[in-house]
Amino acid sequence: MSTFTPRVFSGVQPTGNLHLGNYLGAIKRFVEMQDSHECIYCVVDLHAITQDRSVWGGPKELARSTREVTAAYLAAGIDAGKHIVFNQSQVAAHGELAWIFNCVARVGWLNRMTQFKEKAGKNRENASVGLYAYPNLMAADILAYKATHVPVGEDQKQHLELTRDIAQKFNIDFADSIAEAGFGDAFFPLPEPLIVGPATRVMSLRDGQAKMSKSEPSDLSRINLTDDADTIAKKIRKAKTDPDALPDSKEGLAGRPEAANLLGIYAALAEAGIEDVIVQFAGQQFSKLKQDLADLAVEKLSPIAGEMQRLMADPGHIDAVLKDGSSRARAIAAPIMEDVRRIIGFIG
Ligand code: TRP
């Protein structure tokens, strides 16, 4: 058995504004991994352009969002000196390895991807080839660094399984060449997803059954990471509720998606277990939960918003962070790509 040094890789797409779901589901987890692992955090701008230009907003907006995601990483507490923060398009290994994986992954595997079906919508014939091949690029992101652990939301689980399938097929297809090159029985690790539990699956403030999303028309449905304190408090005050008092057990949340969502957000922000938060608010009215949640959300999120604003005012600094991160990322990926080329039989 080959063994691999633990390494974390994850990414966030620079499309539109970041919201609480991105923070609790991804960025906050990224921050937590830093003490125990070597981490590489990417702003996946190559992925952003897989959809229509109207979705990612065109060149100026892409650059702005790339800086905003970077600012969010830094403001949330990712240490870009100890770890790596960079944007995907500055490291050519991603595109190069993605091409190789286009030739490893099977059409049948990609046809099963539910996110493609959702994003392509009814007019599948008109989706970009890039949107179809998106999961192969994601596999390349992870495996160009031989990353072993990938913190992602529940919605990315299928893409992680595909990444493992690609790694395994590469290891098998080139087993002779991999052994000859001295890598034993596996060149790529099979990366493990670190999936955030359902407690931090953040839902819309207007509909407890829909995911909080940047594409929902009503801005009241989400808390943006750049919202100021008054806006955060107002959105929580206006959040949808049901007429009953809050339950005293987890079972009491069945059929009450809005109560479950607000209590779940409270628990995630307070870093408490959902059971404890249920006990804390048992029998109380929604108004009490909303007041306490607004206070907590402002306490936890306003410093991040303030720091993001400060960072965004100095794009030169953000660009320098990305440039430095990209050159360190390249230094890790380059020898791995050299091995990949040799294993496949490419000369040079
Ligand atoms: N597809 C991920 C998302 O939409 C973003 C992503 C791209 C990613 N490449 C990745 C996440 C590699 C983890 C690892 O959330």
Side-chain angles (χ1 to χ4, degrees), residues 21-178:
N22 302 117
Y23 177 65
L24 292 178
I27 299 172
K28 188 166 183 290
R29 295 295 310 282
F30 298 179
V31 176
E32 292 162 2
M33 303 297 302
Q34 296 185 105
D35 293 336
S36 50
H37 289 79
E38 175 198 342
C39 303
I40 305 177
Y41 294 128
C42 186
V43 187
V44 292
D45 48 9
L46 297 175
H47 277 109
I49 65 164
T50 55
Q51 286 183 279
D52 284 352
R53 181 171 158 151
S54 61
V55 176
W56 50 272
K60 291 212 168 60
E61 175 57 19
L62 181 63
R64 193 205 64 79
S65 302
T66 300
R67 294 191 182 107
E68 184 179 288
V69 174
T70 310
Y73 280 169
L74 302 177
I78 291 171
D79 183 339
K82 273 208 192 106
H83 301 275
I84 293 180
V85 170
F86 77 109
N87 60 313
Q88 196 182 22
S89 61
Q90 289 204 57
V91 181
H94 294 253
E96 184 184 353
L97 190 57
W99 176 260
I100 291 165
F101 289 168
N102 285 345
C103 304
V104 174
R106 308 288 90 185
V107 168
W109 299 359
L110 290 177
N111 283 344
R112 286 197 286 275
M113 296 294 115
T114 56
Q115 190 167 299
F116 173 75
K117 292 177 199 169
E118 271 163 37
K119 285 192 178 172
K122 286 197 187 74
N123 196 357
R124 207 175 289 182
E125 291 288 305
N126 196 41
S128 76
V129 175
L131 186 66
Y132 186 69
Y134 177 116
N136 296 344
L137 177 59
M138 182 162 161
D141 297 341
I142 298 163
L143 295 173
Y145 305 94
K146 294 193 179 180
T148 54
H149 295 84
V150 185
V152 279
E154 185 75 34
D155 62 330
Q156 296 300 311
K157 196 171 168 193
Q158 197 183 33
H159 290 161
L160 250 293
E161 279 158 12
L162 185 92
T163 301
R164 294 166 63 90
D165 289 343
I166 289 173
Q168 187 153 33
K169 188 168 192 310
F170 184 95
N171 288 342
I172 292 168
D173 286 357
F174 295 100
D176 49 354
S177 183
I178 287 168

Side-chain angles (χ1 to χ4, degrees), residues 24 27 47 99 162 187 216-217 219 233 294 302 304 313 328 332:
L24 292 178
I27 299 172
H47 277 109
W99 176 260
L162 185 92
F187 179 73
E216 160 140 15
D219 197 52
S302 318
I304 297 176
R328 288 189 287 134
I332 297 173

